[in-house]
Amino acid sequence: MDILKVLSRGIKHNQKNKPQAAGTLTQLPSAGALPRPQLFHDPVSARGKKRKRRPDAQNDEQAVEDDDVSDVDYFAPKEPAVEPVPDTDQAPPKKRKIRLLDEDECRQILRSHRLKFTILSGSPKVEDKEDEQASKKNKRRKEAERNMGEKEKKDDYRKQIFPQPLNSFGELQHIYDVSPQLAANVSAQGFRVPTEVQMGSLPLLLRPVTALKKSKSVEVPGLENGAHFLAVAPTGSGKTITFLIPAIDGVLRRRAELGRDKDGHVLEVVVVAPTRELASQIVNEGRKLAIGTGVRVVLMKRGLRLAAEEVKQVKGNDDEGSGSEKESEDDASEESEDDKAGKDGGKPLARVDILVTTPKTLLNFLSGGKPGTRQILPTVRSLVLDEADVLLDPIFRKQTMGIWRACTHPEVSLTCWSATMASNIESLITKQLDKRSKRAGTTPRPVIRLVVGLKDAAVPNITHKLIYTATEPGKLLALRQLLHPVSSADSGPPLRPPFLVFTQTIERAQALHDELKYDIPLEAGGSVRVAVLHSSMTDRDRSKIMARFRAGEVWVLITTDVLARGVDFAGVNGVVNYDVPTSAAGYVHRAGRTGRAGREGGVAVTFYTKDDIPFVKSVANVIAASEKQAGKTEEGGGVQKWLLDALPKVAKEDKRKLKSSWERRREHNRAQAIEASKRRKRQRREEGEEKVEEEGEWGGLED
Ligand SMILES: Nc1ncnc2c1ncn2[C@@H]1O[C@H](COP(=O)(O)OP(=O)(O)OP(=O)(O)O)[C@@H](O)[C@H]1O
């Protein structure tokens, strides 16, 4: 197969050989596959009643059966923004009464979609029912516990809850009472059915008491004020709108309660994301959902002034922000300049309801007050950590904890989102929440965790391939073969553009770009089709590359882990791990840049050489688990059992050594990013121009 044929399929070349601009995306081969945003539909054993269709479901234009979505192209350009819903002076539309499902029905639907809710803190009461039905239930539960055997599993089972699932987006308005405008904005996105994470999280986050109204077996104390929430759900499963909808709804509700008008903006929600690319993507999504509501979603930038309170820094009272982790060089290098920005009292306060930020940018603002003081954000009611496991990883921990500490409202709720969540991060979160509620003297809120599918092994809907090459030059050759396969016998599955190539360091990304940039013939667009993006580039260059890749102009984007998390490129067909990711979580996030919203046909190719073998086992395990989830057999799979068995389990000592070698690379990346940041500052001073912050690279999470 010739690359030219593949690349030019569906793409018209204009006369001057210019790359096609926006609008080509839906004609790229990527638009072909039919997405099913829901990943799981297990048949559930006929325990109790079968799922009933609501009598009015047919009237609900959004409650479509899954089969009906086959002709929907979720990657087509979205509809233009909706018109604001007419003012509420007119009589509100009559609300339809929708029956809540009973606990058994909820249990069945949640199981069928592999949604598991566990209470991580407090002790939910298991009701002591006298009646026959309840004792039957208890019997069944005890039997199940006996079967599971281990104590740990028993505890887990007892703490499970079965809230109402969101069966259609129409229920947002009809059961969970979100504003008609917000409901219209969701509907304008063109989504037909909620994904699993949306199905599970939205009822609990919007109206927790309603969501658990029919839950008879477990009582969750303290739920009236809401819950803290951790969601672990596959990449590309729509977590962004899942935290944005309740955020906007919360602002609107409080505005109504307090009688604030549309222009009365109070910073109520802070969303933290690890990179600038992800933060601005969240702002875009938020603004689409907030159209016509008056809710302002703003990206935190250098020089933006927020309504913060200045308090005296109390020495020795910094246990949340401190820890074993040392201050990163990045922090130190930025401090003096940010001090100046924070002290700029001349700028007006920003009018913000929802602030989206990278950790460092906001922390720089908070620590930029008078010496010996810090600034706090007492009006914030909700803190959202997107990619929470990396935000609480030592690289970002100090900064994230600093922000959390600044959200001093006693009722502040925390929600954490990621496709991967190690148990040490979970316990860090629950311990911190416990400490905070003790300190504030408030009734602790429950901490609820939702896991969709298999925790940490979640890229079930794509093809995975591990390719061994004996040497480094062999790797480059193999990548070229993927780009220009000469026969069907060539190794690896066909890789169709657009695709992302991940390397471990900035230097390697640059070097690979130099190697590949002339590999696309001029007739197909030439060197502009191959681009590189990493954190030592300027913000402006990064944004330009992002825009060109999204528009379908760039077909091969070479990058580092800076794009591994959260970034949603419509229709990315493939991911190449030119360098093996150093952890299972790293693999999940990189591979998850393809196959978004349940779309099939994505391919993740991972090259490895002899030197990489110690890292391959954890990648191979993720692949095997993902394929098992997808019900694939060994023959069709990307990793053969013999290989999985043969790959060495790395001894602790060796892992430590290897880790330090990767740490060195990561440090090197950071040093490069710092150097670049200093260079940009110098440039800024010379140009007198103000630019926004940069984040360093991170090298993925260690197992
Ligand atoms: N119900 C839905 N049906 C179809 N597409 C959806 C639905 N909800 C969200 N999407 C789309 O799915 C894509 C992925 O969503 P999003 O970026 O929120 O995923 P994510 O779960 O945050 O992924 P990651 O873990 O990689 O950050 C987006 O393009 C979004 O518009």
Side-chain angles (χ1 to χ4, degrees), residues 519-566:
D519 272 35
I520 307 285
L522 210 59
E523 291 74 14
S527 61
V528 291
R529 296 293 190 202
V530 185
V532 64
L533 190 153
H534 50 73
S535 66
S536 77
M537 290 163 66
T538 65
D539 290 344
R540 195 180 292 164
D541 288 346
R542 272 161 78 164
S543 305
K544 267 193 212 156
I545 301 284
M546 291 285 284
R548 286 179 47 218
F549 192 58
R550 283 189 200 282
E553 288 176 29
V554 170
W555 290 345
V556 180
L557 181 54
I558 300 159
T559 187
T560 62
D561 276 318
V562 78
L563 287 192
R565 282 186 176 245

Side-chain angles (χ1 to χ4, degrees), residues 37 74-75 78 169 189 191-195 198 233-241 278 281 285 386-387 418-419 565-568 589 592-593 596-597:
Y74 292 112
F75 293 89
K78 300 205 174 125
F169 283 116
Q189 303 275 310
F191 305 146
R192 294 291 186 83
V193 285
T195 62
Q198 293 161 356
T235 48
S237 63
K239 293 186 281 297
T240 314
I241 69 160
L278 183 52
Q281 185 180 295
E285 291 297 306
D386 192 15
E387 308 297 344
S418 185
R565 282 186 176 245
V567 186
D568 183 54
H589 290 277
R593 294 316 95 208
R596 315 281 295 164

Side-chain angles (χ1 to χ4, degrees), residues 109-363:
I109 295 174
L110 298 175
R111 286 207 174 140
S112 152
H113 287 277
R114 302 193 197 172
L115 296 164
K116 186 175 171 186
F117 293 89
T118 312
I119 300 185
L120 296 183
S121 69
S123 44
K125 282 189 209 151
V126 178
E127 297 255 294
D128 220 1
K129 294 271 178 195
E130 295 290 319
D131 60 86
E132 207 189 331
Q133 206 192 355
S135 74
K136 264 187 198 165
K137 264 188 196 168
N138 283 340
K139 244 186 182 173
R140 278 202 300 267
R141 187 183 309 124
K142 277 185 187 147
E143 205 174 302
E145 281 170 6
R146 253 200 309 278
N147 291 343
M148 280 195 249
E150 304 148 46
K151 186 183 174 299
E152 201 183 310
K153 280 189 181 166
K154 179 174 160 184
D155 290 341
D156 213 21
Y157 180 79
R158 285 170 66 134
K159 288 181 179 178
Q160 266 192 69
I161 50 169
F162 302 94
Q164 297 288 318
L166 185 84
N167 294 304
S168 77
F169 283 116
E171 292 181 355
L172 285 178
Q173 195 179 347
H174 299 302
I175 300 184
Y176 302 102
D177 212 19
V178 307
S179 85
Q181 181 64 60
L182 177 55
N185 293 343
V186 174
S187 153
Q189 303 275 310
F191 305 146
R192 294 291 186 83
V193 285
T195 62
E196 274 85 2
V197 69
Q198 293 161 356
M199 208 178 197
S201 317
L202 284 168
L204 260 183
L205 292 175
L206 288 165
R207 304 290 176 267
V209 175
T210 311
L212 284 170
K213 203 169 179 175
K214 298 282 179 169
S215 178
K216 298 283 182 235
S217 53
V218 178
E219 193 190 300
V220 190
L223 197 71
E224 317 75 63
N225 303 322
H228 302 294
F229 195 72
L230 273 63
V232 188
T235 48
S237 63
K239 293 186 281 297
T240 314
I241 69 160
T242 317
F243 59 72
L244 284 171
I245 293 171
I248 296 170
D249 171 75
V251 173
L252 292 175
R253 263 187 310 141
R254 267 183 296 277
R255 186 187 281 170
E257 270 164 31
L258 303 173
R260 281 201 309 258
D261 64 19
K262 272 190 171 187
D263 298 323
H265 301 280
V266 173
L267 176 59
E268 293 210 354
V269 182
V270 170
V271 181
V272 189
T275 61
R276 222 175 51 77
E277 279 78 10
L278 183 52
S280 44
Q281 185 180 295
I282 295 168
V283 170
N284 286 341
E285 291 297 306
R287 286 185 180 158
K288 279 187 263 173
L289 290 174
I291 290 171
T293 60
V295 174
R296 278 178 60 96
V297 186
V298 172
L299 180 68
M300 182 69 199
K301 285 185 184 166
R302 174 194 294 272
L304 191 80
R305 270 189 71 227
L306 301 168
E309 251 177 46
E310 205 145 76
V311 290
K312 274 208 176 114
Q313 180 83 48
V314 186
K315 281 220 166 120
N317 189 21
D318 196 22
D319 54 341
E320 285 175 9
S322 65
S324 55
E325 67 286 341
K326 56 181 179 353
E327 190 178 10
S328 78
E329 287 177 61
D330 249 1
D331 283 338
S333 69
E334 296 287 344
E335 210 167 298
S336 57
E337 188 137 321
D338 291 319
D339 275 353
K340 279 180 236 151
K343 281 177 198 154
D344 181 4
K347 288 206 169 115
L349 290 181
R351 293 157 66 233
V352 185
D353 297 294
I354 300 177
L355 182 77
V356 187
T357 183
T358 55
K360 195 170 64 174
T361 323
L362 182 54
L363 198 70

